[in-house]
Amino acid sequence: MSSRSANGINVELGECINNTGFHEVDKTEGVVDGDAENTISAVSGSPNGEGDAYTQIKPYAGMPKEVLLLYSQQARYRLPREILFWLILVCTLALVALTITVIALSPACLSWWQSSPVYQIYPRSFKDSDGDGVGDLKGITEQLEHIEFLNIKAIWISPFYKSPMKDFGYDVEDFRDIDPLFGTMQDFDALLAAMHDKGLKLIMDFIPNHTSDKHQWFNLSRSGHEHYKDYYIWADCNSTHPPNNWVSVFGNTSWTYVEDRKQCYYHQFLKEQPDLNFRNPHVRREMTEIVRFWLEKGVDGFRMDAVKHILEAKHLRNEPQVNPLQSPETIDTEFELHHDYTASQLGLHDILRDWRAEMEVYSREPGRYRVMITESYDYEEIEKTMMYYGTPNVKESDIPFNFYLLDLPRNLTGAGAQGLVSLWLANMPEGKWPNWVVGNHDKPRISSSAGLDYIRVINMLLLTLPGTPTTYYGEEIGMENINVTLDQIQDPFGQFNPVSNSSRDPQRSPMQWSAGPNAGFSDANNTWLPLHPNYTTVNVEAQQKDSGSVLAQYRALSNLREAELPLHRGWMCYVRSNTDVFAFLREMDGLDKAFLVVLNFGEDSVLDLSDVEELPERMTVRMSTKQENDGRQVEKSSIATARGEGLLMEYYAHVRFNPGHASRCFVSEKACYLGALDILYKC
């Protein structure tokens, strides 16, 4: 069907849709002599009311633009539209403001090295995959499920560089290669890939202070090569008279004469471990390149070994004797000298900060922060250890290892435990993150030094304190030191003085995986160190089946630490300590749930906390190291603990302890909980 318009153009008309809201205007109304302009005027309406007005009741589908504009200006259509527009605008601005506020008030998320314990693996002793009696990288890969089972996300692996093994990997021949004893670079790449696939992080040992005497740099240096001659510390001497009285950590003089150069080189450790000269800028560049090499590989951080030894005084003066009356000729151990010239020298922290800056470059990718941990035994000079945290303006170590809990066996009381914890927290710079170590490859296992009765309560201490705990392999099942006969000693430190019981072999025995041959560690006829005879009962396989085992309790604590906000980032407040018990709170502002931790390091005891008003009268034992006590109700006036027992008690209260006892409380990453939105915010 077609129709001719007023201007003579044919318009094709299709089927129409009946609009019940439309009624046709009489053809004679608004049209005079067929004038098309009058028709438009009738549709448009006259602003002054003259002429024919458009009388349509409501809009209809297919209305012309003029009709649409007419209706859009009416109040009943315009006002809802404007209200809706401003409502959307205000809501959008409010949402943006809320988002900005939440971001601004949200505390920093804990990094991976803060949220998880660190598990130390001594690779020689973890798992042997090729039947030679020595652990290796493939063996670690095979046992990653054990790390996942423990709910641990970070692994620190002791050295596996190419090495003559005079000090079991701490004498490095090539920083860019893997020792064949542990596998190949392909094995390392496979291990790292497998770890990252499982969401695990790898921390490498980095040994900057020295190399092996088999290292190419040292061979060139001892031959007098122009570029390498000052890569190490050389001094004029002869074969019988060293340059000064400096003593090696392993005992006797720290100087060794080399006939080729008619000079002595300096070594703070074995003579097979010559010290690098970090006052040579070429050495610093070389070591930074090595850091960069492993970061490019994808490692997640470094544990920097023996950092306080990196620099020595240039003047080479004799160090003062601890006992001025002692005959100088009899001095042969490090503890007989004050190390004013061979430790913690000026310039040391500049070197570490340079490495930290290099690691920052590789930390820019979200979720790939590269952690830096420093190792320095400073004994009573804790202020030197704290300097590794850096300054408010200059970043250095994320955590300097805290070795003071290693003294717990000598301070095995509740008050002694609190004293060691307080020693670190009281000296740590504000806003820094603490860490806790109760065992490693250099110190006796805590089960042997403190006693089997206390291994469970020490694990509870480790996993309920604020900060990052480090667990030495085997501590999660309560492994003990082995007995090593004189002919079995492998450790060079022990070989230097075998009758002094200074060997570190006892705490390095093979991991006890099962009750099978060689404890499931190796298929070899002999392992590099003997196994502990208790492996038939103390092993991973057996303890996984026992809900009350040391392993089961370690895992439960690890899971609780991750799941409960007060335990992994809340306040820690001292409540009570005495000869037997150490009690502290873990709480978070804004959160009603809190925890009371009572640890018994002495004999059976009953603790009365009725004077602590912030505690409710009754609490629930969330976990005890004695499984039969789990879930029981405890009166705060009568908290009974047995020898070596630990209690983690849960309670609910609106009143927090920390506001009224600021001097007894500590928090590092402070945050408050907002229950209405289930979020944390800065407070």
Side-chain angles (χ1 to χ4, degrees), residues 373-649:
I373 302 171
T374 47
E375 183 248 15
S376 178
Y377 285 95
D378 291 305
Y379 303 101
E380 70 279 0
E381 297 178 302
I382 191 171
E383 68 280 356
K384 290 184 177 180
T385 304
M386 294 302 165
M387 291 179 68
Y388 295 106
Y389 274 117
T391 70
N393 299 319
V394 183
K395 198 171 181 181
E396 197 169 323
S397 175
D398 292 294
I399 46 175
F401 261 143
N402 171 10
F403 295 116
Y404 291 93
L405 279 185
L406 293 171
D407 292 331
L408 187 57
R410 293 192 293 273
N411 298 270
L412 203 58
T413 65
Q418 178 176 324
L420 294 173
V421 171
S422 180
L423 178 65
W424 188 269
L425 296 182
N427 285 280
M428 190 176 70
E430 184 178 357
K432 297 301 182 181
W433 190 256
N435 72 102
W436 313 96
V437 177
V438 296
N440 61 26
H441 59 288
D442 286 330
K443 299 296 181 180
R445 288 192 176 275
I446 199 71
S447 296
S448 296
S449 56
L452 280 175
D453 288 346
Y454 297 102
I455 181 61
R456 295 169 185 261
V457 73
I458 290 173
N459 279 339
M460 182 173 280
L461 171 70
L462 196 67
L463 291 166
T464 56
L465 286 172
T468 299
T470 297
T471 292
Y472 184 51
Y473 82 97
E475 285 175 358
E476 73 274 24
I477 60 172
M479 281 179 59
E480 299 176 73
N481 285 358
I482 59 170
N483 292 319
V484 178
T485 61
L486 292 179
D487 62 325
Q488 292 174 323
I489 293 177
Q490 304 287 327
D491 179 26
F493 197 40
Q495 291 174 343
F496 167 70
N497 191 358
V499 297
S500 66
N501 294 320
S502 56
S503 173
R504 298 166 295 180
D505 291 328
Q507 58 263 28
R508 299 176 177 181
S509 61
M511 181 67 175
Q512 296 165 197
W513 294 105
S514 71
N518 292 328
F521 165 74
S522 173
D523 294 330
N525 292 329
N526 294 293
T527 55
W528 80 281
L529 279 175
L531 291 152
H532 197 289
N534 70 2
Y535 78 85
T536 55
T537 55
V538 179
N539 62 72
V540 172
E541 187 178 86
Q543 293 195 15
Q544 283 181 340
K545 301 173 183 176
D546 180 2
S547 61
S549 66
V550 176
L551 177 62
Q553 292 183 354
Y554 183 99
R555 184 191 187 211
L557 283 166
S558 181
N559 287 331
L560 275 173
R561 181 184 181 275
E562 179 184 48
E564 300 291 352
L565 279 172
L567 290 178
H568 69 257
R569 69 176 305 160
W571 287 91
M572 190 274 257
C573 299
Y574 305 119
V575 175
R576 195 67 47 83
S577 66
N578 55 38
T579 303
D580 296 312
V581 301
F582 172 31
F584 57 89
L585 295 176
R586 298 303 311 275
E587 63 182 21
M588 174 168 282
D589 294 319
L591 188 65
D592 289 344
K593 181 191 287 189
F595 295 90
L596 171 66
V597 184
V598 178
L599 307 172
N600 187 308
F601 293 101
E603 302 300 328
D604 295 0
S605 174
V606 178
L607 183 64
D608 181 4
L609 296 180
S610 56
D611 59 328
V612 182
E613 298 177 355
E614 294 84 356
L615 290 176
E617 292 301 320
R618 296 174 66 85
M619 293 168 284
T620 302
V621 177
R622 181 71 177 269
M623 180 179 173
S624 169
T625 56
K626 293 186 178 297
Q627 191 179 20
E628 62 270 18
N629 290 331
D630 289 355
R632 71 181 174 94
Q633 297 292 304
V634 176
E635 300 282 345
K636 73 173 181 179
S637 60
S638 181
I639 304 173
T641 53
R643 169 187 169 93
E645 182 180 7
L647 296 177
L648 178 63
M649 288 173 284

Side-chain angles (χ1 to χ4, degrees), residues 126-136 139 142 520-524:
F126 196 63
K127 184 67 168 70
D128 172 23
S129 70
D130 57 8
D132 63 355
V134 179
D136 47 51
E142 291 175 3
F521 165 74
S522 173
D523 294 330

Side-chain angles (χ1 to χ4, degrees), residues 153-179:
K153 306 296 192 300
I155 301 174
W156 156 36
I157 307 179
S158 295
F160 46 78
Y161 305 102
K162 186 177 181 182
S163 167
M165 295 295 164
K166 294 295 184 180
D167 191 18
F168 297 144
Y170 285 93
D171 50 322
V172 180
E173 182 178 345
D174 189 343
F175 285 101
R176 291 181 173 88
D177 201 2
I178 308 297
D179 195 88

Side-chain angles (χ1 to χ4, degrees), residues 21-199:
F22 172 76
H23 61 274
E24 188 172 7
V25 179
D26 192 289
K27 294 180 180 179
T28 63
E29 295 179 6
V31 180
V32 180
D33 297 330
D35 191 342
E37 292 184 3
N38 287 337
T39 303
I40 297 174
S41 178
V43 173
S44 307
S46 174
N48 56 13
E50 297 178 357
D52 295 319
Y54 182 70
T55 60
Q56 177 64 37
I57 295 174
K58 57 183 178 180
Y60 60 93
M63 71 182 75
K65 177 179 70 175
E66 293 81 5
V67 176
L68 179 63
L69 291 174
L70 176 66
Y71 279 103
S72 69
Q73 297 304 315
Q74 294 181 10
R76 61 176 173 171
Y77 295 107
R78 187 183 72 253
L79 289 177
R81 186 173 68 248
E82 290 180 355
I83 291 172
L84 187 61
F85 168 77
W86 287 110
L87 187 62
I88 292 173
L89 181 61
V90 169
C91 289
T92 301
L93 292 176
L95 185 60
V96 170
L98 180 62
T99 302
I100 294 172
T101 302
V102 168
I103 293 173
L105 293 180
S106 294
C109 294
L110 296 184
S111 188
W112 57 266
W113 54 272
Q114 297 171 305
S115 61
S116 167
V118 174
Y119 189 87
Q120 183 193 354
I121 291 177
Y122 194 66
R124 296 178 72 95
S125 299
F126 196 63
K127 184 67 168 70
D128 172 23
S129 70
D130 57 8
D132 63 355
V134 179
D136 47 51
L137 297 180
K138 281 186 177 179
I140 297 173
T141 306
E142 291 175 3
Q143 296 296 342
L144 290 180
E145 288 185 0
H146 177 64
I147 311 301
E148 291 183 294
F149 177 80
L150 296 173
N151 192 33
I152 289 177
K153 306 296 192 300
I155 301 174
W156 156 36
I157 307 179
S158 295
F160 46 78
Y161 305 102
K162 186 177 181 182
S163 167
M165 295 295 164
K166 294 295 184 180
D167 191 18
F168 297 144
Y170 285 93
D171 50 322
V172 180
E173 182 178 345
D174 189 343
F175 285 101
R176 291 181 173 88
D177 201 2
I178 308 297
D179 195 88
L181 188 69
F182 301 122
T184 65
M185 188 62 78
Q186 289 72 31
D187 295 335
F188 171 80
D189 292 338
L191 169 61
L192 185 60
M195 288 181 62
H196 285 170
D197 286 346
K198 294 177 180 292

Side-chain angles (χ1 to χ4, degrees), residues 112-362:
W112 57 266
W113 54 272
Q114 297 171 305
S115 61
S116 167
V118 174
Y119 189 87
Q120 183 193 354
I121 291 177
Y122 194 66
R124 296 178 72 95
S125 299
F126 196 63
K127 184 67 168 70
D128 172 23
S129 70
D130 57 8
D132 63 355
V134 179
D136 47 51
L137 297 180
K138 281 186 177 179
I140 297 173
T141 306
E142 291 175 3
Q143 296 296 342
L144 290 180
E145 288 185 0
H146 177 64
I147 311 301
E148 291 183 294
F149 177 80
L150 296 173
N151 192 33
I152 289 177
K153 306 296 192 300
I155 301 174
W156 156 36
I157 307 179
S158 295
F160 46 78
Y161 305 102
K162 186 177 181 182
S163 167
M165 295 295 164
K166 294 295 184 180
D167 191 18
F168 297 144
Y170 285 93
D171 50 322
V172 180
E173 182 178 345
D174 189 343
F175 285 101
R176 291 181 173 88
D177 201 2
I178 308 297
D179 195 88
L181 188 69
F182 301 122
T184 65
M185 188 62 78
Q186 289 72 31
D187 295 335
F188 171 80
D189 292 338
L191 169 61
L192 185 60
M195 288 181 62
H196 285 170
D197 286 346
K198 294 177 180 292
L200 305 176
K201 305 293 186 180
L202 189 151
I203 302 169
M204 281 185 63
D205 240 332
F206 182 56
I207 301 96
N209 178 68
H210 50 263
T211 71
S212 164
D213 62 349
K214 303 299 182 185
H215 197 290
Q216 182 184 18
W217 298 344
F218 186 73
N219 290 330
L220 291 169
S221 183
R222 71 185 297 163
S223 67
H225 188 285
E226 184 61 30
H227 180 74
Y228 292 97
K229 66 180 182 180
D230 293 326
Y231 264 46
Y232 297 83
I233 299 168
W234 295 90
D236 292 333
C237 69
N238 58 47
S239 58
T240 57
H241 292 86
N244 54 34
N245 71 342
W246 296 358
V247 175
S248 163
V249 171
F250 287 118
N252 293 328
T253 180
S254 56
W255 296 95
T256 294
Y257 181 73
V258 173
E259 183 65 31
D260 293 347
R261 284 188 57 146
K262 300 293 191 290
Q263 286 183 310
C264 291
Y265 66 86
Y266 177 66
H267 50 90
Q268 297 227 32
F269 295 89
L270 296 174
K271 65 182 178 63
E272 292 86 1
Q273 295 170 291
D275 274 39
L276 286 164
N277 178 15
F278 273 89
R279 301 192 187 280
N280 183 335
H282 295 295
V283 171
R284 291 178 65 166
R285 280 196 292 271
E286 293 268 20
M287 297 306 282
T288 300
E289 284 295 325
I290 291 165
V291 168
R292 190 176 296 127
F293 171 83
W294 290 105
L295 290 174
E296 289 284 351
K297 279 277 185 186
V299 301
D300 301 289
F302 294 100
R303 175 261 196 186
M304 305 284 187
D305 177 69
V307 291
K308 74 175 184 180
H309 298 295
I310 285 176
L311 284 176
E312 300 77 25
K314 292 189 290 185
H315 53 63
L316 303 184
R317 296 173 189 156
N318 283 342
E319 291 191 311
Q321 298 177 192
V322 171
N323 178 8
L325 301 180
Q326 182 178 357
S327 173
E329 293 77 18
T330 64
I331 292 175
D332 62 359
T333 70
E334 62 169 332
F335 300 104
E336 295 171 302
L337 296 174
H338 293 293
H339 299 290
D340 296 346
Y341 309 137
T342 58
S344 305
Q345 296 297 293
L346 186 65
L348 163 64
H349 293 280
D350 294 331
I351 296 171
L352 296 175
R353 289 165 189 168
D354 285 347
W355 290 335
R356 175 69 262 175
E358 188 67 33
M359 295 172 72
E360 287 295 297
V361 174
Y362 290 85

